[in-house]
Amino acid sequence: MNAVLELDAAAPTSLSTLASWVEEVAALTCPDAIRWCDGSQREYDALLAGMEADGTLIALNPDTHPGCWLHRSDPEDVARVEHLTFVCTRDAEAAGPNNQWMAPDQAHGKMDALFAGCMRGRILYVVPYCMGPIDSPLSRCGVEITDSPYVVANMRLMTRMGAQALQRIEREGHFVRGLHSLGELDPDRRFIMHFPEELSIQSYGSGYGGNALLGKKCHALRIASWQAREEGWLAEHMLIVGIENPQGDTHYIAAAFPSACGKTNLAMLVPPPAYREAGWKVWTVGDDICWMRPGPDGQLWAINPEAGYFGVAPGTSAKSNPNALAMIQRDTIYTNVALTDDCQPWWEGLDDRAPAFDWQGRPYDPANGPAAHPNARFTVAARQCPSWSPRAEDPQGVPISAIVFGGRRATTMPLVFEARDWRHGVFVGATMASETTAAATGQVGLVRRDPMAMKPFCGYHFGDYFAHWLSFDEPGARLPKIFHVNWFRKDADGNFLWPGFGENLRVLEWIIARVEGRVGAEDGLPGFMPLEHHFAEGLGVDPDRVALALQVDQGEWAIEQRAQDQFWAESRDRSARFDASAPSSEGEEATEL
Ligand code: OXD
Ligand code: MN
C-alpha cells in the first residue's frame, strides 16, 4: 500500500495542528503503522481484501450481490449504547437532563487510560472526511482516527472521505477530532464521549455504526447541534425528501422520526400506481440527518451531511422499500444479517425463503431467535438509490417547505395534523413520543418522549435546544409549516389502521396542499386536522378505518397531555420558559383557505 507510513515518517499534510494531533494519538495508542486514507477505490479494494483475508468480512454471492460483503459484529456490540454515551461540558447544566454528563478532565483521564497502548499490533488509520457536499458553505469537516478497517470502509461509503476532504480541512485550518478504537470490544470498557467545547469525540470499545462511524451521530448530530446553536443553524435527525407533483414542482420536506421508525422507507418512497401514472415523483436527498440554515430569502435551506445510508435491514422488502432493495443488490456492506444456503443476505420480512445461517453464523434454528439481528444494517453509497436526488450535491442545499414530526404510537396520535404556527410546531416536536425500537440497547416497545427524535443525539440542554428552535421565528423568516404524522396507529385488535409505505404519499400530498394554501383544515385537539383529502380514495382500505386513524380520542388526549406535563416537569428550569409559552389546545381559530 502506497499510503502506509512508518511512525516517524512525515505526515502528508501541511496542517501542523493535524499532524501533531496524529503524532500525539500515535504516541498514546502505539500502533504498528499509520495510514492516511485518500478515499481512492484502490485503497477501498485493498481494505476489503485485507478484511476478507482476516475474516472480518465474508464475500457474498457474486452472481446475485456483486461487490457485497457481510460483517458479523461481536454479539455484544450490535447497537448504540446510550447509557455509555456522555456529553462532557465544563458546566454540567449545559449538557442538560437529556444527556449523561461527565467532567471533561475526568472523561479525558478515563479515556487516556483506555487508549494507552490500545493500537499495538494494529494499524492507525487517519480518515479525513467532509459532512456535506465538498464545496458547500453548510458542510463541516472532521478527521477520524480509528484502528478498525471496517470503520474506514463504512466511512468511505457514508461521507465524502479522503484527499478532497483533507484539502478543505487544510484550507479551513480546523476540524472536528474523532478518536476511535475497537479496544477489546468489552461492554465494560466502552464509552462514547463528546467534548463539544473542544469539538472532539472519543469512542472506545465498540465497532457498531452509531458508536464508531464518528461522522454520523457523534459529529453530524451531537457536536453539530452544539455548533449549530452557536452559529445560528439546526442539525437535526431528519430525512429530506423531494416530492414532485404532476406539474413538475418539487417541495422538499424534512421529517424527524425516532430510530427504526421508517425514515429510510419514507425518504425512498415509491408512489402508488395511480400517483405514478399521474406524474408524481419522489426524490431522496437524505434518510437520517439534515442540516438547515436560514437563507437570505428567509427560507430554511438544507443539506444532507451524509453521502450514504446506514439502514436497518429487517423489514426492508419489495413492498416496504423497493428502491432500497434495488440499491443494496451491489457494492454494499451488510452487518449482522442472516445468510441463505447460497450466500445471499437475508432478514426477517425480506421474503419467504428459509435462511441457512443466522447473524452469528450458526445454522439457523428459530429457537435462537430471529435469523438476522433486529438491528442488522446495510451500508451503501447514496447515489446507488434509484430515487437519489442530484440536489443532494447542491452546495446551496434545498429549500424546506414543511417539517414533519412523527413517532410510533399504537394509540392517541392521529394519522396527521398541522401545528398552528411555528411556536406551536416547536411544541409539537418537543413533546413527540414513540415506542422504543431495536436501534438502541434496552427494552423495545416502551413509549418514551423523544423530542424532535433528538433524545439520543442533542449535544446540549433540551431547554436551550427548544429556545434555539423558537429563535428562528423572527421578522423576515419564511419558515416551513410544521406537521405531525403517525403511520403506526392500531385498532383494538392490534392491527394497523393505515397501510403506510408508498401510501404515505397521500398524507404528504395533503401536507403540500396545506403548504400551498389549497385546502382547508379544522381546528382539533392537537392542531389543524384534514377536512378535504384523498387519503381513502382508491386505497382499497375501508374508509372507516382511515377515519379511525384520523380520529383523536378526548380521553387518550387528556392522558397524553398529563404525560407531556410530566416531561416538562422533568426538564424543568431551562424548559420552563418554553412550557409557559406553549399554546393551549383549545380556543384557536381554524385556518381559513
Ligand atoms: C441510526 C439510528 O442508525 O438512529 O440512524 O440509530
Ligand atoms: Mn438515525
Side-chain angles (χ1 to χ4, degrees), residues 80 216-217 221 237 257-260 263 287-289 310 377 453 457:
R80 286 183 288 99
K216 194 174 177 63
K217 304 298 188 183
L221 287 176
H237 190 203
F257 297 83
S259 309
K263 286 218 305 295
D287 81 329
D288 195 40
I289 302 181
F310 181 64
R377 298 279 178 151
F457 306 121

Side-chain angles (χ1 to χ4, degrees), residues 423 427 568 575-583:
R423 199 172 181 77
F427 179 83
W568 291 122
S575 63
R577 61 177 174 238
F578 178 69
D579 191 18
S581 64

